């Protein structure tokens, strides 16, 4: 009987449990394989923490947010941040992981994660581990797939928040600034901004001019629209300026956490237009809760397809959505870059056609 391992790494997002369920059910139902969940991402692989996932374990988790396996965004087995004499040093635990993989008697490993997790998955593949990747993140920034699961749910969460801010913005004649996550890509801001009818959308791919932002607010005011909604990505920054770093997580392989640009934009607008502003940072609310119907379906399709790839022996691949079809791509290609919004992307034109300003 084949034994497959599964782990979830990096920041969580809605739909992870749906993927775990889909992998386990397909493996158990269609092939009679055994499935083992590795706890807390790669940390469980370093520490040899894993448990068998039975059919009952994965039943009833489709709609559940988070991950039943736990995750870690502070683990990189190839350069693990470790405290040594009050300092952080980076140690290579990859050999230990390979030994544990053998001890667990696993024959393949499904790694569910964003670009960081997938990059590590690729390194293990290069070391001989039969790996399959599944792209997960609210940022939608994984190269090679039209969409990651988790993104649609986050867009929905952001859109609902924007809708609510709209009504209070109207009543108080205020400018509401909504800061959304997304790291170095503006997908979440752009899509929720369009869905929520944002008046100004600011994304990292297009450094903004604060003058243009204020012009838009004033122009709306002149036309009798005494409120505005600004959707700003955490990675957006002014022309000639820099991204705002909220904190450095020293013991994280990717230590930069963005955040704070919303306050900067609010201060600038208030100073230049004298219109009252309020800032709402949606933060981790975007990642919480259960998956949307779209994400449930996408996660289920991804999980099912990952098992088919294992069956065919197509390791070193990541499942992808291309158009309406599920397929796969080499992990080497998938981790070669991150997916940002290209300048010619149709959604940018759509936003502009709606009269939305992109701050330029
Ligand atoms: O990658 C997902 C994400 O939510 C980003 O959008 C955000 O920048 C980051 O993770 C936040 O990380 P943490 O959970 O460590 O605060």
């Amino acid at each position: 009987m084949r034994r497959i391992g599964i782990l979830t790494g990096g920041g969580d997002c809605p739909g992870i449990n749906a993927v775990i369920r889909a992998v386990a059910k397909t493996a158990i139902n269609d092939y009679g394989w055994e499935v083992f969940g590795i706890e807390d991402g790669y940390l469980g692989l370093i520490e040899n923490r894993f448990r068998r996932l039975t059919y009952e374990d994965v039943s009833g988790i489709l709609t559940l947010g988070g991950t039943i396996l736990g995750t870690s965004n502070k683990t990189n087995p190839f350069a693990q941040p470790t405290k040594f004499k009050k300092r952080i040093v980076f140690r290579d635990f990859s050999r230990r992981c390979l030994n544990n993989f053998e001890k667990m008697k696993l024959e393949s490993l499904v790694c569910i994660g964003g670009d960081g997790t997938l990059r590590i998955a690729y390194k293990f593949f290069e070391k001989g581990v039969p790996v399959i990747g599944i792209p997960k993140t609210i940022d939608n920034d994984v190269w090679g797939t039209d969409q990651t699961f988790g993104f649609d749910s986050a867009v929905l969460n952001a859109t609902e928040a924007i809708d609510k801010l709209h009504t209070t913005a109207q009543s108080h004649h205020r400018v509401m600034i909504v800061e959304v996550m997304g790291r170095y890509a503006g997908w979440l801001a752009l899509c929720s901004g369009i869905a929520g009818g944002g008046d100004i959308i600011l994304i990292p791919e297009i450094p903004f001019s604060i003058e243009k932002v204020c012009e838009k607010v004033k122009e709306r005011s002149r036309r009798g629209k005494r409120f505005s909604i600004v959707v700003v990505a955490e990675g957006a920054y002014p022309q000639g300026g820099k991204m705002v770093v909220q904190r450095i997580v020293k013991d994280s392989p990717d230590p930069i956490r963005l955040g704070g640009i919303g306050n900067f934009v609010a201060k600038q607008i208030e100073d230049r237009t004298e219109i009252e502003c309020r800032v709402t940072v949606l933060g981790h609310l975007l990642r919480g809760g259960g998956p949307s119907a779209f994400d449930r379906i996408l996660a289920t399709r991804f999980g099912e397809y990952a098992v088919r790839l294992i069956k065919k022996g197509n390791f070193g691949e990541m499942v992808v959505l291309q158009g309406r079809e599920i397929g796969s791509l080499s992990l080497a290609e998938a981790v070669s870059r991150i997916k940002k919004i290209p300048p010619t992307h149709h959604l940018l034109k759509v936003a502009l056609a709606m009269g939305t300003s992109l701050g330029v």
Side-chain angles (χ1 to χ4, degrees), residues 175-201:
V175 177
M176 288 298 197
I177 291 104
V178 193
E179 183 180 308
V180 300
M181 285 182 164
R183 285 208 311 169
Y184 307 113
W187 297 105
L188 193 44
L190 181 60
C191 292
S192 60
I194 291 174
D199 305 300
I200 298 162
I201 300 174

Side-chain angles (χ1 to χ4, degrees), residues 152 154-170 176 178 180 187-201 220 225 227-232 282 347 350-351 354-356:
D152 184 70
V155 171
L156 191 67
N157 289 339
T159 305
E160 280 173 7
I162 295 168
D163 288 350
K164 287 177 180 149
L165 290 168
H166 236 120
T167 60
T168 172
Q170 259 164 339
M176 288 298 197
V178 193
V180 300
W187 297 105
L188 193 44
L190 181 60
C191 292
S192 60
I194 291 174
D199 305 300
I200 298 162
I201 300 174
R220 281 177 54 79
K225 297 270 191 186
F227 74 95
S228 290
I229 302 287
V230 183
V231 182
V232 56
L282 293 179
L347 283 179
V350 168
M354 294 304 109
T356 299

